[in-house]
Amino acid sequence: MTESTARFSDRVDDYVKYRPGYPAEAIDAVVALAGLAPGAAIVDVGSGTGISARALLERGFAVFGVEPNAPMRAAAERELASFARFTSVDGTAEKTGLPDASAALAIAAQAFHWFRPEETRAELARVVAPPHWTALVWNERLVDTPFLREYEALLREHSSDYAKVDHRNIDRARIERFFGGPFETRAFPNVQRFDRAGFLGRARSSSYVPRTEAMTG
């Protein structure tokens, strides 16, 4: 297992409990843009603990959850055990292990910044049937209040690799290279409210936040 795929192994419980879901409007927009037929198969690449997979399963789609991290994958299997159309797959974005043209859409939620883009593009072109629909989704933390600006500054000061792994490093040019041309962008509001314990748990779920006694609350 590479360093990037192992990063979340000791953060699974906090990830399950404190990571936000995705706006229903965002999921519905992806489904509509791809023109998915009812019950179509979707490959969720870097599916983690199953947050995005759940939203798709609840809409009646079949989901292959491809996740290389064993503790994250096991959490998804527990969280989604009631969904008969969920298939857990030990694989990576670059080597899913799925058959050719086995899905109508690939989605990567909060995960693309960990992939090797060229290899992933080739693999998804193989796995997703023409016209090879792919959606990249992120929840983006804003920095538009004094508290959020202070939190951002704290991460940059105390995390050894936050600046390197921040998904906001993925700019439009890199995404355009991945898609091989122009792409469409949609943005939707998403709100997550915390008490103190929730804020600390959400911080601990991030791979770049140092795990210290000070973060236990």
Coordinates of all heavy atoms in Angstrom, one line a residue, residues 107-190:
I107 N -17.4 8.2 -10.7 CA -17.5 9.4 -9.8 C -16.3 9.2 -8.8 O -16.0 8.2 -8.3 CB -18.8 9.5 -9.1 CG1 -18.9 10.8 -8.3 CG2 -19.1 8.3 -8.2 CD1 -20.3 11.2 -7.8
A108 N -15.7 10.3 -8.6 CA -14.6 10.4 -7.5 C -15.0 11.6 -6.6 O -14.9 12.7 -7.0 CB -13.2 10.6 -8.2
A109 N -15.4 11.2 -5.4 CA -15.8 12.3 -4.5 C -14.7 12.4 -3.4 O -14.4 11.5 -2.7 CB -17.2 11.9 -3.8
Q110 N -14.2 13.6 -3.3 CA -13.1 14.0 -2.4 C -11.9 13.0 -2.5 O -11.3 12.7 -1.5 CB -13.7 13.8 -0.9 CG -13.2 14.9 0.0 CD -13.8 16.3 -0.2 OE1 -14.9 16.4 -0.8 NE2 -13.1 17.3 0.2
A111 N -11.6 12.7 -3.8 CA -10.6 11.6 -3.9 C -9.6 11.9 -5.1 O -8.5 11.4 -5.1 CB -11.2 10.3 -4.2
F112 N -10.0 12.7 -6.1 CA -9.2 12.8 -7.3 C -7.8 13.3 -7.1 O -6.9 12.9 -7.8 CB -9.9 13.7 -8.3 CG -9.2 13.9 -9.6 CD1 -9.1 12.9 -10.6 CD2 -8.5 15.1 -9.8 CE1 -8.3 13.1 -11.7 CE2 -7.8 15.3 -11.0 CZ -7.7 14.4 -11.9
H113 N -7.7 14.2 -6.1 CA -6.4 14.7 -5.8 C -5.3 13.7 -5.3 O -4.2 14.0 -5.2 CB -6.5 15.9 -4.8 CG -7.2 15.6 -3.6 ND1 -8.5 15.3 -3.6 CD2 -6.8 15.5 -2.3 CE1 -8.9 15.1 -2.3 NE2 -7.9 15.2 -1.5
W114 N -5.8 12.5 -5.0 CA -4.9 11.4 -4.6 C -4.5 10.5 -5.8 O -3.6 9.7 -5.7 CB -5.5 10.5 -3.6 CG -5.9 11.2 -2.3 CD1 -7.2 11.5 -1.8 CD2 -5.0 11.8 -1.3 NE1 -7.1 12.1 -0.6 CE2 -5.8 12.4 -0.3 CE3 -3.6 11.9 -1.2 CZ2 -5.3 13.0 0.8 CZ3 -3.1 12.5 -0.1 CH2 -3.9 13.1 0.9
F115 N -5.1 10.7 -7.0 CA -4.9 9.8 -8.1 C -3.7 10.2 -9.0 O -3.3 11.4 -9.0 CB -6.1 9.8 -9.0 CG -7.4 9.4 -8.4 CD1 -8.6 9.6 -9.0 CD2 -7.4 8.8 -7.1 CE1 -9.8 9.2 -8.4 CE2 -8.6 8.4 -6.5 CZ -9.8 8.6 -7.2
R116 N -3.2 9.3 -9.7 CA -2.3 9.6 -10.8 C -3.1 9.8 -12.1 O -3.7 8.8 -12.6 CB -1.3 8.4 -11.0 CG -0.4 8.2 -9.8 CD 0.8 7.2 -10.1 NE 0.3 5.9 -10.4 CZ 0.1 5.0 -9.5 NH1 0.2 5.2 -8.2 NH2 -0.3 3.8 -9.8
P117 N -3.2 11.0 -12.5 CA -4.3 11.4 -13.5 C -4.2 10.6 -14.8 O -5.2 10.2 -15.3 CB -4.0 12.9 -13.7 CG -3.4 13.4 -12.5 CD -2.5 12.2 -12.0
E118 N -3.0 10.5 -15.4 CA -2.9 9.8 -16.7 C -3.3 8.4 -16.6 O -4.1 7.9 -17.5 CB -1.5 10.0 -17.3 CG -1.1 11.4 -17.7 CD -2.1 12.0 -18.7 OE1 -2.5 11.2 -19.7 OE2 -2.5 13.1 -18.6
E119 N -2.8 7.7 -15.6 CA -3.2 6.3 -15.5 C -4.7 6.1 -15.2 O -5.3 5.2 -15.6 CB -2.3 5.6 -14.4 CG -0.9 5.6 -14.8 CD 0.0 5.1 -13.6 OE1 -0.3 4.0 -13.0 OE2 0.9 5.8 -13.2
T120 N -5.2 7.0 -14.3 CA -6.6 7.0 -14.0 C -7.5 7.2 -15.2 O -8.5 6.5 -15.4 CB -6.9 8.0 -12.9 OG1 -6.2 7.7 -11.7 CG2 -8.4 8.0 -12.6
R121 N -7.1 8.2 -16.0 CA -7.9 8.5 -17.2 C -7.9 7.2 -18.1 O -9.0 6.9 -18.6 CB -7.2 9.6 -18.0 CG -8.0 10.0 -19.3 CD -7.3 11.1 -20.0 NE -7.9 11.4 -21.3 CZ -7.5 12.2 -22.2 NH1 -6.4 12.9 -22.0 NH2 -8.2 12.4 -23.3
A122 N -6.9 6.5 -18.3 CA -6.9 5.3 -19.2 C -7.7 4.2 -18.6 O -8.5 3.6 -19.3 CB -5.4 4.8 -19.3
E123 N -7.6 4.1 -17.2 CA -8.4 3.0 -16.6 C -9.9 3.3 -16.7 O -10.7 2.4 -16.9 CB -8.0 2.9 -15.1 CG -8.8 1.9 -14.3 CD -8.6 0.4 -14.8 OE1 -8.0 0.2 -15.8 OE2 -9.0 -0.5 -14.0
L124 N -10.3 4.6 -16.4 CA -11.7 4.9 -16.5 C -12.3 4.8 -17.9 O -13.4 4.5 -18.1 CB -12.0 6.3 -15.8 CG -11.6 6.3 -14.4 CD1 -12.0 7.7 -13.8 CD2 -12.2 5.2 -13.6
A125 N -11.4 5.2 -18.9 CA -11.9 5.0 -20.3 C -12.2 3.5 -20.6 O -13.0 3.2 -21.4 CB -10.8 5.5 -21.2
R126 N -11.5 2.6 -19.9 CA -11.7 1.2 -20.1 C -12.9 0.7 -19.4 O -13.8 0.0 -19.9 CB -10.5 0.4 -19.6 CG -10.6 -1.1 -19.8 CD -9.4 -1.8 -19.2 NE -9.5 -1.8 -17.7 CZ -10.3 -2.5 -17.0 NH1 -11.1 -3.4 -17.5 NH2 -10.3 -2.4 -15.6
V127 N -13.1 1.2 -18.2 CA -14.2 0.7 -17.3 C -15.5 1.3 -17.6 O -16.6 0.6 -17.4 CB -13.8 0.9 -15.8 CG1 -14.9 0.6 -14.9 CG2 -12.6 0.1 -15.5
V128 N -15.5 2.6 -18.0 CA -16.8 3.3 -18.2 C -17.2 3.2 -19.7 O -16.4 3.5 -20.5 CB -16.7 4.7 -17.7 CG1 -18.0 5.4 -18.0 CG2 -16.3 4.8 -16.3
A129 N -18.4 2.7 -19.9 CA -18.8 2.6 -21.3 C -18.9 4.0 -22.0 O -19.2 5.0 -21.3 CB -20.2 1.9 -21.3
P130 N -18.8 4.1 -23.3 CA -18.9 5.3 -24.0 C -20.3 5.9 -23.7 O -21.3 5.2 -23.5 CB -18.8 4.9 -25.5 CG -18.0 3.7 -25.5 CD -18.4 3.0 -24.2
P131 N -20.3 7.3 -23.5 CA -19.3 8.3 -23.8 C -18.3 8.6 -22.6 O -17.8 9.6 -22.5 CB -20.1 9.5 -24.1 CG -21.3 9.4 -23.3 CD -21.6 7.9 -23.3
H132 N -18.2 7.6 -21.7 CA -17.1 7.7 -20.7 C -17.4 8.8 -19.7 O -16.5 9.6 -19.4 CB -15.7 7.8 -21.2 CG -15.4 6.8 -22.3 ND1 -15.3 5.4 -22.0 CD2 -15.2 6.9 -23.6 CE1 -15.1 4.8 -23.2 NE2 -15.0 5.7 -24.1
W133 N -18.6 8.9 -19.2 CA -19.0 10.0 -18.2 C -18.2 9.8 -16.9 O -18.1 8.7 -16.3 CB -20.4 9.9 -17.9 CG -21.3 10.5 -18.9 CD1 -22.1 9.8 -19.8 CD2 -21.5 11.9 -19.2 NE1 -22.8 10.6 -20.6 CE2 -22.5 11.9 -20.3 CE3 -21.1 13.1 -18.7 CZ2 -22.9 13.1 -20.8 CZ3 -21.5 14.3 -19.2 CH2 -22.4 14.3 -20.3
T134 N -17.6 10.9 -16.5 CA -16.8 10.9 -15.2 C -17.1 12.2 -14.5 O -17.1 13.3 -15.1 CB -15.3 10.9 -15.5 OG1 -15.0 9.6 -16.2 CG2 -14.5 10.9 -14.2
A135 N -17.3 12.1 -13.2 CA -17.6 13.3 -12.4 C -16.6 13.4 -11.2 O -16.4 12.4 -10.5 CB -19.0 13.2 -11.8
L136 N -16.1 14.5 -11.0 CA -15.2 14.8 -9.9 C -15.9 15.7 -8.9 O -16.4 16.8 -9.3 CB -13.9 15.5 -10.4 CG -13.1 14.8 -11.5 CD1 -11.9 15.5 -11.9 CD2 -12.8 13.3 -11.2
V137 N -16.0 15.3 -7.7 CA -16.8 16.0 -6.7 C -15.9 16.3 -5.5 O -15.2 15.4 -5.0 CB -18.0 15.2 -6.3 CG1 -18.9 16.0 -5.3 CG2 -18.8 14.8 -7.5
W138 N -16.0 17.6 -4.9 CA -15.4 17.9 -3.7 C -16.3 18.7 -2.8 O -17.1 19.6 -3.3 CB -14.1 18.8 -3.9 CG -12.9 18.0 -4.4 CD1 -12.0 17.3 -3.6 CD2 -12.5 18.0 -5.8 NE1 -11.0 16.8 -4.5 CE2 -11.3 17.2 -5.7 CE3 -12.9 18.5 -7.0 CZ2 -10.5 16.9 -6.9 CZ3 -12.2 18.2 -8.1 CH2 -11.1 17.4 -8.1
N139 N -16.3 18.5 -1.5 CA -16.7 19.5 -0.6 C -15.6 20.4 -0.3 O -14.5 20.0 0.0 CB -17.2 18.8 0.8 CG -18.6 18.3 0.7 OD1 -19.5 18.9 0.2 ND2 -18.8 17.1 1.2
E140 N -15.8 21.7 -0.5 CA -14.7 22.7 -0.3 C -15.0 23.6 0.9 O -16.0 24.2 1.0 CB -14.5 23.5 -1.5 CG -13.4 24.5 -1.4 CD -13.0 25.1 -2.8 OE1 -13.2 24.4 -3.8 OE2 -12.4 26.2 -2.8
R141 N -14.0 23.5 1.9 CA -14.2 24.4 3.1 C -13.8 25.8 2.7 O -12.8 26.1 2.2 CB -13.2 23.9 4.2 CG -13.2 24.8 5.4 CD -12.4 24.1 6.5 NE -11.2 23.4 6.0 CZ -10.0 24.1 5.8 NH1 -10.0 25.4 6.0 NH2 -9.0 23.4 5.3
L142 N -14.8 26.7 3.0 CA -14.6 28.1 2.7 C -13.6 28.8 3.7 O -13.5 28.2 4.8 CB -15.9 28.9 2.6 CG -16.9 28.3 1.6 CD1 -18.2 29.1 1.6 CD2 -16.3 28.4 0.2
V143 N -13.1 29.9 3.3 CA -12.3 30.7 4.3 C -12.8 32.1 4.3 O -12.1 33.1 4.0 CB -10.8 30.6 3.8 CG1 -9.9 31.2 4.9 CG2 -10.4 29.2 3.5
D144 N -14.1 32.2 4.7 CA -14.7 33.5 4.5 C -15.2 34.1 5.8 O -16.0 35.0 5.8 CB -15.9 33.3 3.6 CG -16.9 32.3 4.0 OD1 -16.6 31.6 5.0 OD2 -18.0 32.2 3.4
T145 N -14.7 33.6 7.0 CA -15.0 34.2 8.3 C -13.7 34.2 9.1 O -12.8 33.5 8.7 CB -16.0 33.3 9.1 OG1 -15.4 32.1 9.4 CG2 -17.3 33.1 8.2
P146 N -13.6 35.1 10.1 CA -12.4 35.1 10.9 C -12.0 33.8 11.5 O -10.9 33.4 11.5 CB -12.8 36.1 12.0 CG -13.8 37.0 11.3 CD -14.6 36.1 10.5
F147 N -13.0 33.0 11.9 CA -12.7 31.7 12.5 C -12.1 30.8 11.4 O -11.1 30.1 11.7 CB -14.0 31.0 13.1 CG -13.8 29.6 13.6 CD1 -13.2 29.4 14.8 CD2 -14.1 28.6 12.8 CE1 -13.0 28.1 15.3 CE2 -13.9 27.3 13.2 CZ -13.3 27.0 14.5
L148 N -12.7 30.7 10.3 CA -12.2 29.8 9.2 C -10.8 30.3 8.7 O -10.0 29.4 8.4 CB -13.2 29.8 8.1 CG -14.5 29.0 8.4 CD1 -15.5 29.2 7.3 CD2 -14.2 27.5 8.7
R149 N -10.6 31.6 8.7 CA -9.3 32.0 8.3 C -8.2 31.6 9.3 O -7.1 31.3 9.0 CB -9.3 33.6 8.1 CG -10.0 34.0 6.8 CD -9.8 35.4 6.5 NE -10.5 36.3 7.3 CZ -11.8 36.7 7.1 NH1 -12.4 36.3 6.0 NH2 -12.4 37.5 7.9
E150 N -8.6 31.7 10.6 CA -7.7 31.3 11.7 C -7.4 29.8 11.6 O -6.3 29.3 11.8 CB -8.2 31.7 13.0 CG -8.2 33.2 13.3 CD -6.8 33.7 13.5 OE1 -5.9 32.9 14.0 OE2 -6.5 34.8 13.1
Y151 N -8.4 29.0 11.3 CA -8.3 27.6 11.2 C -7.3 27.2 10.0 O -6.5 26.4 10.1 CB -9.6 26.9 11.0 CG -9.6 25.4 10.9 CD1 -9.1 24.6 12.0 CD2 -10.0 24.7 9.8 CE1 -9.0 23.3 11.9 CE2 -10.0 23.3 9.7 CZ -9.5 22.6 10.7 OH -9.4 21.2 10.7
E152 N -7.5 27.9 8.9 CA -6.7 27.7 7.7 C -5.2 28.0 8.1 O -4.3 27.3 7.8 CB -7.1 28.6 6.6 CG -6.3 28.5 5.3 CD -6.6 27.2 4.5 OE1 -7.5 26.5 4.9 OE2 -5.9 27.0 3.5
A153 N -5.0 29.1 8.8 CA -3.7 29.5 9.2 C -3.0 28.5 10.1 O -1.8 28.2 10.1 CB -3.7 30.9 9.8
L154 N -3.9 28.0 11.0 CA -3.4 26.9 12.0 C -2.9 25.7 11.2 O -1.9 25.1 11.5 CB -4.5 26.6 12.9 CG -4.2 25.7 14.1 CD1 -3.3 26.5 15.1 CD2 -5.5 25.2 14.8
L155 N -3.7 25.3 10.2 CA -3.3 24.1 9.4 C -2.0 24.3 8.7 O -1.1 23.5 8.7 CB -4.4 23.8 8.4 CG -5.7 23.3 9.0 CD1 -6.7 23.1 7.8 CD2 -5.5 21.9 9.7
R156 N -1.8 25.5 8.1 CA -0.6 25.8 7.4 C 0.6 25.9 8.3 O 1.7 25.6 7.9 CB -0.8 27.1 6.6 CG -1.8 26.9 5.5 CD -1.9 28.1 4.5 NE -2.8 27.8 3.4 CZ -2.5 27.1 2.4 NH1 -1.3 26.6 2.2 NH2 -3.5 26.9 1.4
E157 N 0.4 26.3 9.6 CA 1.5 26.4 10.5 C 1.9 25.1 11.1 O 3.1 24.8 11.3 CB 1.1 27.4 11.6 CG 2.2 27.6 12.6 CD 1.9 28.6 13.7 OE1 0.7 29.2 13.6 OE2 2.7 28.8 14.7
H158 N 0.9 24.2 11.4 CA 1.3 23.1 12.2 C 1.2 21.7 11.4 O 1.7 20.7 12.0 CB 0.3 23.0 13.4 CG 0.5 24.1 14.4 ND1 1.6 24.1 15.2 CD2 -0.2 25.2 14.6 CE1 1.5 25.2 16.0 NE2 0.4 25.9 15.6
S159 N 0.7 21.7 10.2 CA 0.7 20.5 9.5 C 1.9 20.4 8.6 O 2.2 21.4 7.9 CB -0.6 20.4 8.6 OG -0.5 19.3 7.7
S160 N 2.5 19.3 8.6 CA 3.8 19.1 7.8 C 3.5 19.1 6.3 O 4.4 19.3 5.5 CB 4.5 17.9 8.2 OG 3.8 16.7 8.0
D161 N 2.3 18.7 5.9 CA 2.1 18.5 4.4 C 0.7 19.0 3.9 O 0.3 18.7 2.8 CB 2.2 17.0 4.0 CG 1.2 16.1 4.7 OD1 0.5 16.6 5.6 OD2 1.2 14.9 4.4
Y162 N 0.0 19.8 4.8 CA -1.3 20.3 4.3 C -1.2 21.1 3.0 O -2.0 20.8 2.1 CB -1.8 21.3 5.4 CG -3.1 22.0 5.0 CD1 -4.3 21.3 4.7 CD2 -3.1 23.4 4.9 CE1 -5.4 22.0 4.3 CE2 -4.2 24.1 4.5 CZ -5.4 23.4 4.2 OH -6.5 24.1 3.8
A163 N -0.2 21.9 2.9 CA -0.1 22.7 1.6 C 0.1 21.8 0.4 O -0.3 22.1 -0.7 CB 1.1 23.7 1.8
K164 N 0.8 20.7 0.6 CA 1.1 19.8 -0.5 C -0.2 19.0 -0.9 O -0.4 18.7 -2.1 CB 2.2 18.8 -0.1 CG 2.6 17.9 -1.2 CD 3.8 17.0 -0.8 CE 3.4 16.0 0.3 NZ 4.5 15.0 0.6
V165 N -1.0 18.5 0.1 CA -2.1 17.6 -0.2 C -3.4 18.3 -0.3 O -4.4 17.6 -0.6 CB -2.1 16.4 0.8 CG1 -0.8 15.7 0.8 CG2 -2.5 16.9 2.2
D166 N -3.5 19.6 -0.1 CA -4.8 20.3 -0.1 C -5.4 20.1 -1.5 O -4.8 20.3 -2.5 CB -4.6 21.8 0.1 CG -5.8 22.6 0.2 OD1 -6.9 22.0 0.0 OD2 -5.7 23.8 0.3
H167 N -6.7 19.6 -1.6 CA -7.3 19.3 -2.9 C -7.4 20.6 -3.7 O -7.6 20.5 -5.0 CB -8.6 18.6 -2.7 CG -9.7 19.5 -2.3 ND1 -10.1 19.6 -0.9 CD2 -10.5 20.4 -2.9 CE1 -11.1 20.5 -0.8 NE2 -11.4 21.0 -2.0
R168 N -7.4 21.8 -3.1 CA -7.5 23.0 -3.9 C -6.3 23.3 -4.8 O -6.3 24.2 -5.6 CB -7.8 24.2 -3.0 CG -9.2 24.1 -2.4 CD -9.4 25.1 -1.3 NE -8.7 24.7 -0.1 CZ -8.8 25.3 1.1 NH1 -9.7 26.3 1.3 NH2 -8.1 25.0 2.1
N169 N -5.2 22.4 -4.6 CA -4.1 22.5 -5.5 C -4.5 22.0 -6.9 O -3.8 22.3 -7.9 CB -2.9 21.7 -5.0 CG -2.4 22.2 -3.7 OD1 -2.4 23.4 -3.5 ND2 -1.8 21.3 -2.9
I170 N -5.6 21.3 -7.0 CA -6.0 20.8 -8.3 C -6.7 21.9 -9.1 O -7.9 22.2 -8.8 CB -7.0 19.6 -8.2 CG1 -6.3 18.5 -7.4 CG2 -7.4 19.1 -9.5 CD1 -5.1 17.9 -8.0
D171 N -6.1 22.5 -10.0 CA -6.6 23.7 -10.7 C -7.4 23.3 -12.0 O -7.4 22.1 -12.4 CB -5.6 24.8 -11.0 CG -4.4 24.2 -11.9 OD1 -4.6 23.1 -12.4 OD2 -3.4 24.9 -11.9
R172 N -8.0 24.2 -12.6 CA -8.8 23.9 -13.8 C -7.9 23.3 -14.9 O -8.3 22.5 -15.7 CB -9.5 25.2 -14.3 CG -10.6 25.6 -13.5 CD -11.4 26.8 -14.1 NE -12.1 26.3 -15.3 CZ -13.3 25.7 -15.4 NH1 -14.0 25.6 -14.3 NH2 -13.8 25.3 -16.5
A173 N -6.7 23.8 -15.0 CA -5.8 23.3 -16.1 C -5.5 21.8 -15.9 O -5.5 21.1 -16.9 CB -4.5 24.1 -16.1
R174 N -5.3 21.4 -14.7 CA -5.0 20.0 -14.4 C -6.2 19.1 -14.7 O -6.1 18.1 -15.3 CB -4.5 19.8 -13.0 CG -4.2 18.4 -12.7 CD -3.5 18.3 -11.3 NE -3.3 16.9 -11.0 CZ -2.8 16.5 -9.8 NH1 -2.4 17.4 -8.9 NH2 -2.6 15.2 -9.6
I175 N -7.4 19.6 -14.3 CA -8.6 18.9 -14.6 C -8.9 18.8 -16.1 O -9.3 17.8 -16.6 CB -9.8 19.5 -13.9 CG1 -9.6 19.4 -12.3 CG2 -11.1 18.8 -14.2 CD1 -10.6 20.1 -11.5
E176 N -8.6 19.9 -16.8 CA -8.8 19.9 -18.3 C -7.9 18.9 -18.9 O -8.3 18.2 -19.9 CB -8.7 21.3 -18.8 CG -9.0 21.4 -20.3 CD -9.2 22.9 -20.7 OE1 -10.1 23.6 -20.2 OE2 -8.5 23.3 -21.7
R177 N -6.7 18.8 -18.5 CA -5.8 17.8 -19.0 C -6.3 16.4 -18.8 O -6.2 15.5 -19.6 CB -4.4 18.0 -18.4 CG -3.6 19.2 -18.9 CD -2.1 19.2 -18.6 NE -1.9 19.1 -17.1 CZ -1.8 20.1 -16.3 NH1 -1.9 21.4 -16.8 NH2 -1.5 20.0 -15.0
F178 N -6.8 16.2 -17.6 CA -7.4 14.9 -17.3 C -8.5 14.5 -18.2 O -8.6 13.4 -18.8 CB -7.9 14.9 -15.8 CG -8.6 13.6 -15.5 CD1 -8.0 12.4 -15.3 CD2 -10.0 13.6 -15.3 CE1 -8.6 11.2 -15.0 CE2 -10.7 12.5 -15.0 CZ -10.0 11.3 -14.8
F179 N -9.4 15.5 -18.5 CA -10.6 15.2 -19.3 C -10.2 15.3 -20.8 O -11.0 14.8 -21.7 CB -11.7 16.2 -19.0 CG -12.5 15.9 -17.8 CD1 -12.6 16.8 -16.7 CD2 -13.1 14.6 -17.6 CE1 -13.3 16.5 -15.6 CE2 -13.9 14.3 -16.5 CZ -13.9 15.3 -15.5
G180 N -9.1 15.9 -21.1 CA -8.7 16.0 -22.5 C -9.4 17.1 -23.2 O -9.5 17.1 -24.5
G181 N -9.9 18.1 -22.5 CA -10.7 19.2 -23.1 C -11.6 19.9 -22.1 O -11.4 19.6 -20.9
P182 N -12.4 20.7 -22.5 CA -13.3 21.5 -21.6 C -14.2 20.6 -20.8 O -14.5 19.5 -21.2 CB -14.1 22.4 -22.6 CG -13.3 22.4 -23.8 CD -12.6 21.1 -23.9
F183 N -14.6 21.1 -19.6 CA -15.5 20.3 -18.8 C -16.5 21.3 -18.1 O -16.3 22.5 -18.1 CB -14.7 19.6 -17.7 CG -13.9 20.5 -16.8 CD1 -14.4 21.0 -15.6 CD2 -12.6 20.8 -17.2 CE1 -13.6 21.8 -14.8 CE2 -11.8 21.6 -16.4 CZ -12.3 22.1 -15.2
E184 N -17.6 20.8 -17.6 CA -18.6 21.6 -17.0 C -18.4 21.6 -15.5 O -18.2 20.6 -14.9 CB -20.0 21.1 -17.4 CG -21.1 22.0 -16.9 CD -22.5 21.7 -17.5 OE1 -22.5 21.1 -18.6 OE2 -23.5 22.1 -16.9
T185 N -18.6 22.8 -14.9 CA -18.5 22.9 -13.4 C -19.8 23.4 -12.8 O -20.5 24.3 -13.4 CB -17.4 23.9 -13.0 OG1 -16.2 23.5 -13.6 CG2 -17.3 24.0 -11.5
R186 N -20.2 22.7 -11.8 CA -21.4 23.1 -11.0 C -21.0 23.3 -9.6 O -20.2 22.5 -9.1 CB -22.5 22.1 -11.1 CG -23.0 21.8 -12.5 CD -24.0 22.9 -13.0 NE -24.5 22.6 -14.4 CZ -25.6 21.9 -14.6 NH1 -26.4 21.4 -13.5 NH2 -26.1 21.6 -15.8
A187 N -21.6 24.3 -8.9 CA -21.3 24.5 -7.4 C -22.7 24.6 -6.7 O -23.6 25.2 -7.2 CB -20.5 25.7 -7.2
F188 N -22.7 23.9 -5.5 CA -23.9 23.9 -4.7 C -23.6 24.2 -3.3 O -22.5 23.7 -2.8 CB -24.6 22.5 -4.8 CG -24.9 22.1 -6.2 CD1 -24.0 21.4 -7.0 CD2 -26.2 22.4 -6.8 CE1 -24.3 21.1 -8.3 CE2 -26.5 22.1 -8.1 CZ -25.6 21.4 -8.8
P189 N -24.4 24.9 -2.5 CA -24.1 25.1 -1.1 C -24.2 23.8 -0.3 O -25.1 23.0 -0.6 CB -25.2 26.1 -0.7 CG -26.3 25.9 -1.7 CD -25.7 25.5 -3.0
N190 N -23.4 23.7 0.7 CA -23.4 22.6 1.6 C -23.0 23.2 3.0 O -22.0 23.9 3.1 CB -22.5 21.5 1.2 CG -22.8 20.2 1.8 OD1 -23.9 20.0 2.4 ND2 -21.9 19.2 1.7

